[in-house]
Amino acid sequence: MGTGMSTDIAPNSALVVVDVQQGFEEERFWGPRNNPSADENIAALIAAWQETGRPVVFVRHDSSKPESPLRPGYTGNDFKGYVEERRGLGGGPELLVTKTVNSAFYGSPDLDAWFKEAGVQQFVVVGIQTNMCVETTARMGGNLGYEVLLPLDATHTFDLAGPFGWHRSADELARATAVSLHGGGFANVVTTAGLLAACR
């Protein structure tokens, strides 16, 4: 995967950090994950966005399922340490969005309204899981007319069983997400290194 970036990073490009929560560390619940370097890449992007004074949105999933490691009131609901430590350190505006569904655009407060008020037209989406909340947020962003950038290596997901006895590995699912979003025109799939070079 090359690090070539043709996309300019707008001065007010927002970074949307989706569901980087402690509950996703519970492999017994989720199954095997991919991309062990995701957390390091997410951390680097948060730092770069904060240091350049760009807006950062922290999204937290408050699961309504009583067995979910992401349920409110359980430690798994909390952000991972490296995310929690960065909150409030940015030179630019920061927002906390909580949600109970896959899209960060169906959360509270209203992300689309916040973006429009701030004049944000481009955002980068990172986090967990690649093919679930990250993909859904990217698709909705594309539908709402935003320019969406997805650094695939700053996301991860888990193996998953589907219909007809089908089973796909986390890597296969991540690639399918990348092909659907990029090939379908919902988002530009890029790399962390490319974004870091472009934003500085």
Side-chain angles (χ1 to χ4, degrees):
M1 226 164 40
T3 57
M5 271 283 299
S6 55
T7 308
D8 291 324
I9 306 298
N12 70 339
S13 177
L15 179 68
V16 181
V17 183
V18 176
D19 302 354
V20 184
Q21 291 163 258
Q22 292 179 24
F24 280 122
E25 297 289 328
E26 298 188 20
E27 200 172 294
R28 278 199 318 269
F29 184 88
W30 305 101
R33 68 170 272 186
N34 70 331
N35 191 19
S37 60
D39 291 289
E40 186 185 330
N41 289 330
I42 294 165
L45 287 165
I46 294 172
W49 250 248
Q50 288 182 327
E51 285 158 16
T52 56
R54 290 180 168 93
V56 180
V57 179
F58 295 101
V59 183
R60 189 184 73 216
H61 193 82
D62 292 343
S63 179
S64 52
K65 297 173 183 165
E67 76 281 3
S68 171
L70 304 179
R71 65 188 182 273
Y74 177 67
T75 53
N77 181 254
D78 296 340
F79 288 122
K80 292 190 187 185
Y82 74 88
V83 171
E84 189 58 47
E85 285 158 18
R86 298 291 320 195
R87 287 181 60 205
L89 298 183
E94 289 185 16
L95 181 70
L96 171 67
V97 171
T98 60
K99 63 182 181 58
T100 57
V101 293
N102 303 97
S103 175
F105 287 100
Y106 285 132
S108 176
D110 185 315
L111 184 58
D112 184 46
W114 193 77
F115 277 168
K116 285 190 166 63
E117 197 176 312
V120 169
Q121 293 174 310
Q122 178 193 71
F123 71 87
V124 173
V125 58
V126 302
I128 314 169
Q129 303 176 49
T130 314
N131 56 321
M132 300 287 182
C133 297
V134 172
E135 178 173 345
T136 306
T137 298
R139 282 177 181 268
M140 270 198 72
N143 280 177
L144 288 166
Y146 292 95
E147 183 191 354
V148 183
L149 301 171
L150 174 67
L152 191 65
D153 58 357
T155 74
H156 81 77
T157 190
F158 303 90
D159 293 8
L160 195 63
F164 315 122
W166 293 349
H167 184 273
R168 289 290 176 266
S169 72
D171 269 334
E172 288 173 321
L173 293 167
R175 284 187 198 132
T177 288
V179 170
S180 294
L181 291 179
H182 197 89
F186 293 99
N188 283 325
V189 176
V190 296
T191 64
T192 296
L195 286 178
L196 291 172
C199 90
R200 292 204 161 101

